[in-house]
mmCIF file of all heavy atoms in Angstrom:
data_model
loop_
_atom_site.group_PDB
_atom_site.id
_atom_site.type_symbol
_atom_site.label_atom_id
_atom_site.label_comp_id
_atom_site.label_asym_id
_atom_site.label_seq_id
_atom_site.Cartn_x
_atom_site.Cartn_y
_atom_site.Cartn_z
ATOM 1 N N CYS P 234 164.773 -20.658 58.180
ATOM 2 C CA CYS P 234 163.550 -19.843 58.255
ATOM 3 C C CYS P 234 163.364 -19.074 56.960
ATOM 4 O O CYS P 234 162.279 -18.999 56.395
ATOM 5 C CB CYS P 234 163.373 -19.056 59.465
ATOM 6 S SG CYS P 234 164.610 -17.748 59.660
ATOM 7 N N VAL P 235 164.367 -18.370 56.454
ATOM 8 C CA VAL P 235 164.330 -17.543 55.315
ATOM 9 C C VAL P 235 164.123 -18.448 54.064
ATOM 10 O O VAL P 235 163.309 -18.067 53.228
ATOM 11 C CB VAL P 235 165.557 -16.703 55.170
ATOM 12 C CG1 VAL P 235 165.580 -15.891 53.834
ATOM 13 C CG2 VAL P 235 165.737 -15.799 56.313
ATOM 14 N N SER P 236 164.851 -19.508 53.940
ATOM 15 C CA SER P 236 164.706 -20.351 52.848
ATOM 16 C C SER P 236 163.329 -21.081 52.680
ATOM 17 O O SER P 236 162.878 -21.425 51.653
ATOM 18 C CB SER P 236 165.809 -21.449 52.706
ATOM 19 O OG SER P 236 165.777 -22.323 53.721
ATOM 20 N N LYS P 237 162.536 -21.303 53.830
ATOM 21 C CA LYS P 237 161.338 -22.001 53.846
ATOM 22 C C LYS P 237 160.154 -21.008 53.917
ATOM 23 O O LYS P 237 159.065 -21.484 53.861
ATOM 24 C CB LYS P 237 161.345 -22.974 55.085
ATOM 25 C CG LYS P 237 162.455 -24.010 55.064
ATOM 26 C CD LYS P 237 162.293 -25.034 54.096
ATOM 27 C CE LYS P 237 163.053 -26.186 54.153
ATOM 28 N NZ LYS P 237 164.483 -26.129 54.038
ATOM 29 N N CYS P 238 160.327 -19.751 54.052
ATOM 30 C CA CYS P 238 159.294 -18.756 54.115
ATOM 31 C C CYS P 238 158.479 -18.826 52.847
ATOM 32 O O CYS P 238 159.069 -18.468 51.721
ATOM 33 C CB CYS P 238 159.852 -17.309 54.423
ATOM 34 S SG CYS P 238 158.537 -16.213 54.473
ATOM 35 N N VAL P 239 157.265 -19.156 52.875
ATOM 36 C CA VAL P 239 156.383 -19.350 51.689
ATOM 37 C C VAL P 239 155.988 -17.911 51.089
ATOM 38 O O VAL P 239 155.647 -17.945 49.806
ATOM 39 C CB VAL P 239 155.105 -20.261 51.891
ATOM 40 C CG1 VAL P 239 155.630 -21.590 52.239
ATOM 41 C CG2 VAL P 239 154.302 -19.604 52.987
ATOM 42 N N THR P 240 156.047 -16.930 51.831
ATOM 43 C CA THR P 240 155.549 -15.531 51.223
ATOM 44 C C THR P 240 156.803 -14.727 51.040
ATOM 45 O O THR P 240 156.632 -13.526 50.615
ATOM 46 C CB THR P 240 154.607 -14.895 52.173
ATOM 47 O OG1 THR P 240 155.132 -14.642 53.499
ATOM 48 C CG2 THR P 240 153.293 -15.705 52.349
ATOM 49 N N ASN P 241 157.967 -15.155 51.279
ATOM 50 C CA ASN P 241 159.157 -14.358 51.151
ATOM 51 C C ASN P 241 159.164 -13.010 51.952
ATOM 52 O O ASN P 241 159.478 -12.014 51.451
ATOM 53 C CB ASN P 241 159.489 -13.994 49.664
ATOM 54 C CG ASN P 241 159.782 -15.259 48.827
ATOM 55 O OD1 ASN P 241 160.463 -16.282 49.351
ATOM 56 N ND2 ASN P 241 159.211 -15.399 47.617
ATOM 57 N N CYS P 242 158.679 -13.070 53.215
ATOM 58 C CA CYS P 242 158.683 -11.962 54.066
ATOM 59 C C CYS P 242 159.946 -11.782 54.840
ATOM 60 O O CYS P 242 160.137 -10.675 55.464
ATOM 61 C CB CYS P 242 157.393 -11.977 54.884
ATOM 62 S SG CYS P 242 157.407 -13.127 56.268
ATOM 63 N N LEU P 243 160.788 -12.823 54.921
ATOM 64 C CA LEU P 243 162.008 -12.749 55.626
ATOM 65 C C LEU P 243 163.121 -12.515 54.677
ATOM 66 O O LEU P 243 163.341 -13.213 53.677
ATOM 67 C CB LEU P 243 162.174 -14.127 56.423
ATOM 68 C CG LEU P 243 161.121 -14.405 57.406
ATOM 69 C CD1 LEU P 243 161.534 -15.870 58.012
ATOM 70 C CD2 LEU P 243 160.918 -13.425 58.534
ATOM 71 N N TYR P 244 164.021 -11.549 55.036
ATOM 72 C CA TYR P 244 165.100 -11.301 54.240
ATOM 73 C C TYR P 244 166.442 -11.366 55.113
ATOM 74 O O TYR P 244 166.377 -10.771 56.235
ATOM 75 C CB TYR P 244 165.100 -9.859 53.610
ATOM 76 C CG TYR P 244 163.893 -9.532 52.813
ATOM 77 C CD1 TYR P 244 162.723 -9.103 53.433
ATOM 78 C CD2 TYR P 244 163.902 -9.821 51.422
ATOM 79 C CE1 TYR P 244 161.560 -8.822 52.628
ATOM 80 C CE2 TYR P 244 162.788 -9.541 50.706
ATOM 81 C CZ TYR P 244 161.627 -9.112 51.271
ATOM 82 O OH TYR P 244 160.556 -8.835 50.562
ATOM 83 N N PHE P 245 167.516 -12.010 54.618
ATOM 84 C CA PHE P 245 168.628 -12.051 55.318
ATOM 85 C C PHE P 245 169.717 -11.345 54.494
ATOM 86 O O PHE P 245 169.923 -11.668 53.391
ATOM 87 C CB PHE P 245 169.149 -13.553 55.667
ATOM 88 C CG PHE P 245 170.290 -13.669 56.396
ATOM 89 C CD1 PHE P 245 170.242 -13.516 57.777
ATOM 90 C CD2 PHE P 245 171.538 -13.905 55.765
ATOM 91 C CE1 PHE P 245 171.428 -13.582 58.529
ATOM 92 C CE2 PHE P 245 172.651 -14.060 56.568
ATOM 93 C CZ PHE P 245 172.595 -13.846 57.868
ATOM 94 N N VAL P 246 170.397 -10.355 55.158
ATOM 95 C CA VAL P 246 171.347 -9.551 54.442
ATOM 96 C C VAL P 246 172.528 -9.273 55.198
ATOM 97 O O VAL P 246 172.548 -9.454 56.497
ATOM 98 C CB VAL P 246 170.713 -8.076 54.019
ATOM 99 C CG1 VAL P 246 169.572 -8.364 52.961
ATOM 100 C CG2 VAL P 246 170.167 -7.378 55.221
ATOM 101 N N GLN P 247 173.622 -8.938 54.562
ATOM 102 C CA GLN P 247 174.892 -8.473 55.300
ATOM 103 C C GLN P 247 174.940 -6.951 55.108
ATOM 104 O O GLN P 247 174.949 -6.492 53.834
ATOM 105 C CB GLN P 247 176.038 -9.244 54.628
ATOM 106 C CG GLN P 247 175.970 -10.726 54.787
ATOM 107 C CD GLN P 247 176.527 -11.212 56.089
ATOM 108 O OE1 GLN P 247 177.264 -10.583 56.770
ATOM 109 N NE2 GLN P 247 176.093 -12.407 56.464
ATOM 110 N N VAL P 248 175.077 -6.183 56.078
ATOM 111 C CA VAL P 248 175.168 -4.759 55.932
ATOM 112 C C VAL P 248 176.203 -4.128 56.746
ATOM 113 O O VAL P 248 176.714 -4.787 57.626
ATOM 114 C CB VAL P 248 173.815 -4.114 56.365
ATOM 115 C CG1 VAL P 248 172.653 -4.533 55.496
ATOM 116 C CG2 VAL P 248 173.463 -4.333 57.753
ATOM 117 N N GLU P 249 176.776 -2.974 56.317
ATOM 118 C CA GLU P 249 177.770 -2.330 57.082
ATOM 119 C C GLU P 249 177.087 -1.535 58.415
ATOM 120 O O GLU P 249 177.811 -1.572 59.413
ATOM 121 C CB GLU P 249 178.491 -1.410 56.188
ATOM 122 C CG GLU P 249 179.377 -2.074 55.275
ATOM 123 C CD GLU P 249 180.254 -1.269 54.422
ATOM 124 O OE1 GLU P 249 180.486 -0.046 54.842
ATOM 125 O OE2 GLU P 249 180.709 -1.661 53.359
ATOM 126 N N GLU P 250 175.986 -0.971 58.145
ATOM 127 C CA GLU P 250 175.282 -0.366 59.237
ATOM 128 C C GLU P 250 173.923 -0.940 59.459
ATOM 129 O O GLU P 250 173.119 -1.152 58.547
ATOM 130 C CB GLU P 250 175.120 1.149 58.862
ATOM 131 C CG GLU P 250 174.560 1.970 60.026
ATOM 132 C CD GLU P 250 174.468 3.442 59.749
ATOM 133 O OE1 GLU P 250 175.401 3.948 59.088
ATOM 134 O OE2 GLU P 250 173.495 4.036 60.170
ATOM 135 N N ILE P 251 173.606 -1.266 60.719
ATOM 136 C CA ILE P 251 172.377 -1.977 61.040
ATOM 137 C C ILE P 251 171.217 -1.013 60.883
ATOM 138 O O ILE P 251 171.303 0.055 61.568
ATOM 139 C CB ILE P 251 172.405 -2.570 62.510
ATOM 140 C CG1 ILE P 251 173.525 -3.534 62.518
ATOM 141 C CG2 ILE P 251 171.201 -3.254 62.853
ATOM 142 C CD1 ILE P 251 173.523 -4.855 63.146
ATOM 143 N N PRO P 252 170.173 -1.382 60.136
ATOM 144 C CA PRO P 252 169.094 -0.455 60.091
ATOM 145 C C PRO P 252 168.326 -0.389 61.373
ATOM 146 O O PRO P 252 168.192 -1.485 62.069
ATOM 147 C CB PRO P 252 168.166 -0.998 58.934
ATOM 148 C CG PRO P 252 168.604 -2.461 58.847
ATOM 149 C CD PRO P 252 170.034 -2.553 59.375
ATOM 150 N N LYS P 253 167.785 0.681 61.752
ATOM 151 C CA LYS P 253 167.066 0.727 62.975
ATOM 152 C C LYS P 253 165.739 0.070 62.976
ATOM 153 O O LYS P 253 165.284 -0.484 63.834
ATOM 154 C CB LYS P 253 166.770 2.367 63.323
ATOM 155 C CG LYS P 253 166.116 2.581 64.558
ATOM 156 C CD LYS P 253 165.909 4.020 64.858
ATOM 157 C CE LYS P 253 165.300 4.297 66.268
ATOM 158 N NZ LYS P 253 164.959 5.720 66.457
ATOM 159 N N GLU P 254 165.151 0.039 61.771
ATOM 160 C CA GLU P 254 163.916 -0.699 61.499
ATOM 161 C C GLU P 254 164.102 -2.057 60.977
ATOM 162 O O GLU P 254 164.620 -2.210 59.914
ATOM 163 C CB GLU P 254 163.107 0.071 60.512
ATOM 164 C CG GLU P 254 162.986 1.571 60.609
ATOM 165 C CD GLU P 254 162.540 2.062 61.978
ATOM 166 O OE1 GLU P 254 161.870 1.320 62.696
ATOM 167 O OE2 GLU P 254 162.854 3.290 62.302
ATOM 168 N N ARG P 255 163.897 -2.988 61.830
ATOM 169 C CA ARG P 255 163.970 -4.429 61.384
ATOM 170 C C ARG P 255 162.672 -5.001 60.861
ATOM 171 O O ARG P 255 162.652 -5.885 59.983
ATOM 172 C CB ARG P 255 164.442 -5.333 62.509
ATOM 173 C CG ARG P 255 165.873 -5.229 62.803
ATOM 174 C CD ARG P 255 166.326 -6.246 63.766
ATOM 175 N NE ARG P 255 166.001 -7.548 63.162
ATOM 176 C CZ ARG P 255 165.763 -8.607 63.843
ATOM 177 N NH1 ARG P 255 165.878 -8.673 65.180
ATOM 178 N NH2 ARG P 255 165.497 -9.787 63.331
ATOM 179 N N HIS P 256 161.554 -4.404 61.261
ATOM 180 C CA HIS P 256 160.260 -4.890 60.864
ATOM 181 C C HIS P 256 159.619 -3.779 59.949
ATOM 182 O O HIS P 256 159.360 -2.794 60.343
ATOM 183 C CB HIS P 256 159.277 -5.110 62.011
ATOM 184 C CG HIS P 256 159.902 -6.172 63.010
ATOM 185 N ND1 HIS P 256 160.680 -5.972 63.959
ATOM 186 C CD2 HIS P 256 159.663 -7.487 62.994
ATOM 187 C CE1 HIS P 256 161.085 -6.969 64.586
ATOM 188 N NE2 HIS P 256 160.448 -8.020 63.924
#
Side-chain angles (χ1 to χ4, degrees):
C234 61
V235 175
S236 66
K237 301 289 192 295
C238 179
V239 297
T240 61
N241 296 320
C242 73
L243 302 176
Y244 301 91
F245 184 76
V246 295
Q247 300 273 337
V248 294
E249 289 184 20
E250 184 175 324
I251 303 225
K253 185 176 181 183
E254 318 301 340
R255 284 194 52 208
H256 298 88

